[in-house]
């Protein structure tokens, strides 16, 4: 199998991409190029960089450009730049797979219809992934496209961890805890032996994926045991603009007493809450850490407090804790947040190494610490490329690649 696999992650105003070469034994670790179209809809800009070549292009696309126009510009550039190796497939990050999609899936019209049914459960993400899939299909109708789901990794959880205390009929209809950021957690699980050693990697580990979207996952034997998100990506930790865990009575109050309609409540919970709502300053952790406003300090304190609460809960689900991993934008780059979380977790036996934490790790606890903590960069795009490669092989009747089977 030759050619390249294009990885796409479509958001509300951006399309992130990576291009991975196909090798005989699978997908390696380095993309040929990566970049994004940002600011779609108002001041779109396309920028890309290739391995060892620096920035190749950084161009305004013009105001009001659509996702389809941005994707067209991206594909045109790729086709001009990488003429020697044609596109073999495109892999998409799709946030919600529901109960139906539990593994990477080759996309057809039936699959797209199934993805549409899940839009109410991921209104911020699902429509944009579908739009990218359909736009690419119009331009390259014969190109295989593979959907890779953020929920799939968590299907290994025990049944009890997926239930809400609601009438059984609702669970049977799919109203259950799914969990998200699964592609990130799956990548971290794949590299845990490199950081912790093969034996320790199979222990009781909590991974904190802290970014604009934030969640935590308890792992045992490198499989998901419990996670902080539920039916939708609103649950768990407060995020940049999402509220996190909320008494459902608050929603009833907003509907009945404040006379808000469902759309207004959805906008409040998805777009006006979290770090932005509490601080009234910013939804960006970097800005909040630099701000002197006491409301910014309160938003940070709430974020750290909720991480501590969830850490205790996940440690209980595991029956103890052996290691804690920080990943994603805040987890990888905000040493101050890591410091506060680990200092609050001293009761678990965590002993912070201040210098190692300031340097970014990877190990950020002292050697004698009973619970070890690490900073491990995530790589969702690489997981999508590997899944896409193996999906193509399975579709051709071939076994999974050795590299993907390991990771």
């Amino acid at each position: 199998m030759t050619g390249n696999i294009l990885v796409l992650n479509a958001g509300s105003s951006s399309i992130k991409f990576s291009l991975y070469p196909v090798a005989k034994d699978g997908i390696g670790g380095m993309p040929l190029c990566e970049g994004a179209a940002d600011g779609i809809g108002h001041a779109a800009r396309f920028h890309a960089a290739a391995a060892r070549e620096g920035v190749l292009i950084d161009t305004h696309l013009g105001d009001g450009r659509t996702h389809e126009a941005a994707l067209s510009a991206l594909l045109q550039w790729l086709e001009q730049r990488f003429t020697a190796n044609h596109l073999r497939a495109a892999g998409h990050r799709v946030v919600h797979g529901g109960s139906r999609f539990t593994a990477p899936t080759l996309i057809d019209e039936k699959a797209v219809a199934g993805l549409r049914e899940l839009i109410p459960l991921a209104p911020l993400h699902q429509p944009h992934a579908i739009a990218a899939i359909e736009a690419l299909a119009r331009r390259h109708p014969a190109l295989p496209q593979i959907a890779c789901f953020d929920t799939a990794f968590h299907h290994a959880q025990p049944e009890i961890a997926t239930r809400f205390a609601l009438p059984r009929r609702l669970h049977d209809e799919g109203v259950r805890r799914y969990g998200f950021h699964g592609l990130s957690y799956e990548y971290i699980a794949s590299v845990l032996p490199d950081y912790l050693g093969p034996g320790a990697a199979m222990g009781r580990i909590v991974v904190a994926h802290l970014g604009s979207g934030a969640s935590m996952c308890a792992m045992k034997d490198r499989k998901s045991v419990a996670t902080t998100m539920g039916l939708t990506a609103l649950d768990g930790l407060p995020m940049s603009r999402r509220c996190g865990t909320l008494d459902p009575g608050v929603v009833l109050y907003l509907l009945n007493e404040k006379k808000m309609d469902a759309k207004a409540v959805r906008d409040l919970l998805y777009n006006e809450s979290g770090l932005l709502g509490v601080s009234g300053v910013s939804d960006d952790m970097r800005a909040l850490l630099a701000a002197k406003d006491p409301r910014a300090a309160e938003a940070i304190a709430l974020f750290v407090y909720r991480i501590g609460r969830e850490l205790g809960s996940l440690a209980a689900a595991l029956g103890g804790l052996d290691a804690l991993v920080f990943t994603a934008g805040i987890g990888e780059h905000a040493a101050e947040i890591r410091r506060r979380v680990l200092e609050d977790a001293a009761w678990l036996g965590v002993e912070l190494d201040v210098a190692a934490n300031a340097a970014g790790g990877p190990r950020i606890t002292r050697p004698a610490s009973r619970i070890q903590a690490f900073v491990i960069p995530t790589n969702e795009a690489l997981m999508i490329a590997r899944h896409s490669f193996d999906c193509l092989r399975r579709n051709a009747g071939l076994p999974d690649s050795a590299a993907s089977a390991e990771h």
Side-chain angles (χ1 to χ4, degrees), residues 355-372:
N357 181 52
R363 186 191 299 269
I364 57 174
T365 42
R366 297 173 182 170
S369 179
R370 188 170 65 83
I371 307 297
Q372 293 295 326

Side-chain angles (χ1 to χ4, degrees), residues 384-401:
I384 294 170
R386 286 172 170 163
H387 281 313
S388 298
F389 176 80
D390 279 339
C391 192
L392 290 177
R393 288 180 63 87
R394 287 193 297 273
N395 193 56
L398 300 171
D400 285 0
S401 67

Side-chain angles (χ1 to χ4, degrees), residues 9 97 111 125 167-168 171 179 221 230 240 262 281 292 321 335 337 355 369 382 392 399 403:
N9 183 352
H125 304 92
R168 182 173 293 273
H171 181 84
D221 296 329
S240 63
V281 174
K292 303 300 182 183
L321 186 64
I337 299 300
S369 179
L382 179 57
L392 290 177

Side-chain angles (χ1 to χ4, degrees), residues 26-70:
I27 304 295
M30 286 292 294
L32 290 172
C33 68
E34 55 191 350
D38 296 318
I40 296 172
H42 49 90
R45 175 182 292 275
F46 171 56
H47 55 90
R52 295 182 293 277
E53 293 187 35
V55 174
L56 293 177
I57 186 170
D58 187 358
T59 305
H60 282 292
L61 297 178
D63 293 346
R65 295 297 289 256
T66 64
H67 281 70
E68 185 159 358

